[in-house]
Amino acid sequence: MMNDGVNQSLMISGESGAGKTETAKFAVQYLAALGGGNVGIDCQILQTSCILEAFGNSKTSMNDNSSRFGKFIEIHFTAAGKICGSKIRTFLLEKSRVVQLAAGERSYHIFYQLCAGAPQALRERLNLKMAKEYNYLAQSDCLVINGVDDAQRFLKFMETLDIFQISKGEQDQAFAMLAAVLWLGNISFHAIDYENHVEASNDEALINAAQMIGCESHELKEALSARRIQTEEGNIVEKFTMSQAIDTRDALAKFIYASLFDWLVEQINNLLEVGKQHTGWSISILDIYGFESFKKNSFEQFCINYANERLQQHFNRHVFKLEQEEYELDGIDGVKVDFADNQECLDLFEKKPIGLLSLLDEDLHSPDANDATLANKLKQNLNGMACFKGDKGRVFGVQHFAGEVLYNTNDFLKKNQDSLNPELIELLSSCNGQLPQLFAIKMLNQTLEPATSLDSPNQSVSAKFKGKLFKLMQQLEKTKPHFICCIKPNRKQLPGMYEEDLVSQQLRCSGVLEAVRMSRSGYPTRMTHQEFADRYGFLLLETNESPDPLSISVAVLKQFNILPGMYQIGYTKLYLRIGLIGVLEDRRKQVLQTGKYTDEANKGSAFASQLHDGQLTAIIGLQSAIRGCLVRKHFSNSHKLITLRSKRKLVRENSEANDIPNEQSSAMAELQRRVVDAEASLGQKQQENATLQEQLQQYEAKMKKMEEQLQQSEAKMKKTEEQLQQSEAKMKKTEEMLRKQTAPLQASLAAAKKSEGSATAEVGGRENGVSSLVKEFEQQKQSFEDDINKTTQPASNMNSYEELRKLKCRFRAWKKDYKVRLKETTAIVRKHRHQDSDKTRKKWWPNRGKVLQNCGKSPS
């Protein structure tokens, strides 16, 4: 990535249980070690696996820690090659595992960890029991994994939530949602008439589930027991049968869990968000569910194996197809490897209008379609295709690249639609908890998306999945791909056991053997003539060759006696066999080592040229003074030493002659005095030199300290700016939520006013009650709007968010009281208007059409 300036991608493939998740961890650890050091963000990226595995992995018959979702991790880097952020995308969480398990398998790890490791205070708040007490978990007779301590892992999970700065309040809400899912699974239904209609039982499960979600138990009971159908005459209440009620309950549980999973991923991405240092460089790691083939394969395996077919085609395209196309276009002969192309299987899935995905979506719009008619339709239309095999009953087979898989169409249509009743969305939007409201608002916003949008609920699950998969492939095509194929050594999940047939089958099906043959017969290293000449041209001993890159490249190869069979020369590139580039790189390093001293000198010169003119002048002046002082000191010392030696010699000679006159004694004394003075002067000069050097060091230390202080100031300013941006974002989000929450109340008020007009003759005496509510609503609406505008003024300080939070609490309190009085008034008006006993039920929400219409308007 750093050398070529091209984003990279790492695709990890293999069957379920082959080790893809662990391999992805190793890859992330390696990149974190290689590019770490940016305020601990590398450590945070490593910790993401704890949360993602707890919520997205489970025990299956093939793997104790199977990923039941796909993840695409983008790791972003600065220009210096340091990690500066990350983003995680997830695909197709297996929601059915929340409510339905095969024998010997478990649901998601987090449920068992919560039941085993929650502290006593949390258990009391959630009314939590052990895992065996919950129907969703106990149905498979598998509650533990050998060698795994769920309680200990829950403590680790709690620590990770703190690392990602998820507040204590948000953690409590998340655990309440998990408990709500478990209690929903324990809700039972009983018959209420002879037409097999049922309603939810008023038991412990219903009460606890309602409490965790944040609504009244009777509201949850009504939403799980009936639905409204809009007709020309008005809304009709349709009671559920037992199967309809169970499907509705399970749909709510799956929706809450999937929404919670998405919310957690969003919190992780917010913390790992790419900063301003991002250069656009990234390395991506794709860890997606492996190919699966069980005794009974359903819609989930259908989608998973389709994704693996598409990824295998990406592998084939880059390893075989593009490789051979490049050889042919550049005039390279003799490189041809046959490989198993899975394009026919992809056509079986994607062909329009006769393909598995098209026919599956087509039956969603047919009122008479069911799982049996779907199987017959597939067999009638696809029996002629090579990769399709019709079987008995509702079973059909597909010949995948990794082998044949038999699918059973039971629940295919229901899982592909995955709809949620409008009554359940309305119930969640009226709950007290912040998370249920957030989940409902997100769903309501999606209903306003165009029908072709991937987020639109009108799109089937398979259509959304196909769209996201194609978007992923487009992103992968913009990167340079690298592939890791994980091989499962045995079917028993045991160490030290090697099943040769199983391993050979995986090597053949994945294309690894063909890739090896392609690498051995081909030229894996290739460089343009210009690139090769620029990198190795300086190795030439003689420079008489033509200056064109091709001539230089050929001369380098001849100089090192490279055999003709080890390379080929194309029209634009030079193609090299395995190992040859290593020889050239070793020689290049040896030559470069000899020029290390010159490089260091050049670096020093380059550093000096970058100094400020004023600094450079000061340094040169200081150096000149020091050098001049040293030269003068050396000259003075040398001169005095010569004089001293000559005088000592003269004294010694005179002393030996023993004929020194008395008058010379005074001269000798004077000479000795001068020697002492010279030695004292020399010591003083040395002291001055030491002082000068100390001043120079102090000057350099001050410059360094000033630079560090400047960097610290810049960091503080950047941190303050980021905190201000976060505060503004939170204020804006809270304001938008307050505005949106007034829309349903306004819709309810409009309905009440309409009812008032039609019942004037009978309830004329109650006109003042409705009018007072109308007046109160207008007054409060204006009051809250004024308060919001004051709080969100640009001149507001950092306490605006706290004021907005208090305003939100006051609004909720008034809203709750006002809804009660509005319901009572509406009920009185309707009682006089409708005498039919079936229409005396309490309508706690207007019809869905009005809600969606109001959501489309700007908030009042």
Side-chain angles (χ1 to χ4, degrees), residues 266-476:
E266 185 178 351
Q267 304 310 304
I268 294 174
N269 285 334
N270 289 340
L271 184 65
L272 301 180
E273 187 176 7
V274 180
K276 295 181 180 179
Q277 294 178 309
H278 176 43
T279 60
W281 289 350
S282 67
I283 298 177
S284 303
I285 301 174
L286 178 62
D287 173 22
I288 204 165
Y289 12 62
F291 181 82
E292 293 185 347
S293 179
F294 301 121
K295 292 181 179 179
K296 182 179 180 181
N297 300 285
S298 188
F299 179 75
E300 291 79 15
Q301 285 69 47
F302 178 82
C303 293
I304 287 172
N305 292 340
Y306 163 55
N308 277 271
E309 289 287 352
R310 174 51 64 185
L311 295 175
Q312 182 66 25
Q313 179 64 208
H314 183 72
F315 173 81
N316 291 343
R317 169 176 157 77
H318 283 272
V319 175
F320 302 118
K321 295 183 178 180
L322 294 181
E323 193 92 349
Q324 292 184 353
E325 288 178 7
E326 183 175 359
Y327 287 144
E328 294 174 0
L329 291 175
D330 216 21
I332 303 300
D333 299 326
V335 183
K336 183 71 174 178
V337 173
D338 294 329
F339 63 95
D341 193 352
N342 66 332
Q343 187 60 51
E344 285 189 347
C345 188
L346 276 178
D347 293 340
L348 173 63
F349 276 89
E350 299 173 353
K351 189 177 180 180
K352 295 182 179 181
I354 307 286
L356 286 171
L357 296 175
S358 298
L359 295 175
L360 180 59
D361 283 353
E362 186 179 288
D363 267 19
L364 287 182
H365 307 290
S366 176
D368 299 327
N370 55 49
D371 296 329
T373 60
L374 172 64
N376 292 331
K377 184 175 184 178
L378 296 179
K379 296 171 186 177
Q380 292 172 4
N381 288 276
L382 303 175
N383 261 337
M385 300 192 72
C387 296
F388 183 85
K389 175 184 177 182
D391 212 303
K392 297 179 181 179
R394 302 181 180 184
V395 177
F396 68 93
V398 175
Q399 185 62 45
H400 290 281
F401 73 94
E404 185 182 70
V405 180
L406 298 179
Y407 299 98
N408 193 309
T409 59
N410 284 341
D411 296 331
F412 254 56
L413 295 178
K414 182 173 68 175
K415 292 178 179 179
N416 191 34
Q417 190 171 19
D418 193 30
S419 59
L420 192 67
N421 288 343
E423 290 79 9
L424 295 177
I425 301 176
E426 294 166 359
L427 174 64
L428 292 174
S429 65
S430 65
C431 289
N432 296 329
Q434 183 179 359
L435 285 182
Q437 292 180 8
L438 187 65
F439 299 161
I441 291 173
K442 185 176 181 180
M443 175 60 75
L444 287 172
N445 290 338
Q446 290 178 358
T447 60
L448 303 177
E449 293 285 341
T452 56
S453 172
L454 294 180
D455 294 327
S456 173
N458 297 324
Q459 287 271 345
S460 67
V461 174
S462 60
K464 291 179 183 178
F465 182 61
K466 178 183 176 182
K468 290 182 179 180
L469 187 60
F470 270 70
K471 191 174 181 180
L472 170 65
M473 303 313 299
Q474 290 175 355
Q475 187 166 356
L476 289 174

Side-chain angles (χ1 to χ4, degrees), residues 527 530-539 585 588:
M527 304 174 71
Q530 186 67 55
E531 292 172 345
F532 190 89
D534 291 342
R535 189 166 183 83
Y536 304 108
F538 74 96
L539 298 177
E585 282 294 315
R588 183 175 182 271

Side-chain angles (χ1 to χ4, degrees), residues 229-237 754 833-834 836 839 843 847 850:
I229 300 178
Q230 188 173 3
T231 64
E232 296 180 355
E233 292 79 13
N235 289 336
I236 298 177
V237 176
K754 183 176 180 181
R833 183 181 178 188
H834 303 287
D836 190 356
K839 296 185 179 180
K843 303 296 191 298
N847 59 62
K850 293 181 179 178

Side-chain angles (χ1 to χ4, degrees), residues 58-75:
S58 67
K59 180 185 183 304
T60 67
S61 61
M62 302 176 66
N63 187 358
D64 286 347
N65 189 35
S66 176
S67 297
R68 309 315 300 164
F69 71 107
K71 61 177 176 285
F72 184 67
I73 306 174
E74 291 180 88
I75 302 178

Side-chain angles (χ1 to χ4, degrees), residues 456-603:
S456 173
N458 297 324
Q459 287 271 345
S460 67
V461 174
S462 60
K464 291 179 183 178
F465 182 61
K466 178 183 176 182
K468 290 182 179 180
L469 187 60
F470 270 70
K471 191 174 181 180
L472 170 65
M473 303 313 299
Q474 290 175 355
Q475 187 166 356
L476 289 174
E477 287 292 345
K478 298 177 182 178
T479 65
K480 180 180 179 180
H482 305 265
F483 302 94
I484 292 180
C485 182
C486 298
I487 302 297
K488 184 193 300 186
N490 61 77
R491 297 179 177 88
K492 299 181 180 180
Q493 304 182 45
L494 294 175
M497 180 181 292
Y498 180 87
E499 297 179 7
E500 183 176 348
D501 294 342
L502 177 63
V503 172
S504 298
Q505 179 191 5
Q506 294 173 78
L507 292 174
R508 285 194 302 270
C509 295
S510 62
V512 172
L513 299 181
E514 290 83 355
V516 172
R517 285 197 291 269
M518 171 69 80
S519 179
R520 293 182 64 181
S521 63
Y523 303 87
T525 303
R526 62 207 62 177
M527 304 174 71
T528 65
H529 303 315
Q530 186 67 55
E531 292 172 345
F532 190 89
D534 291 342
R535 189 166 183 83
Y536 304 108
F538 74 96
L539 298 177
L540 285 175
L541 300 178
E542 298 180 1
T543 58
N544 298 328
E545 294 293 334
S546 173
D548 68 280
L550 178 58
S551 300
I552 295 175
S553 300
V554 174
V556 170
L557 294 173
K558 289 182 177 179
Q559 177 175 302
F560 289 97
N561 297 321
I562 306 298
L563 298 177
M566 294 297 292
Y567 67 91
Q568 282 204 43
I569 300 174
Y571 302 139
T572 61
K573 295 181 181 179
L574 194 65
Y575 296 80
L576 308 176
R577 296 281 193 191
I578 293 178
L580 183 56
I581 198 70
V583 175
L584 295 174
E585 282 294 315
D586 290 341
R587 180 55 182 161
R588 183 175 182 271
K589 290 179 181 178
Q590 293 174 3
V591 174
L592 291 176
Q593 285 294 329
T594 61
K596 183 177 180 181
Y597 178 81
T598 304
D599 291 340
E600 293 297 328
N602 292 335
K603 290 181 181 178

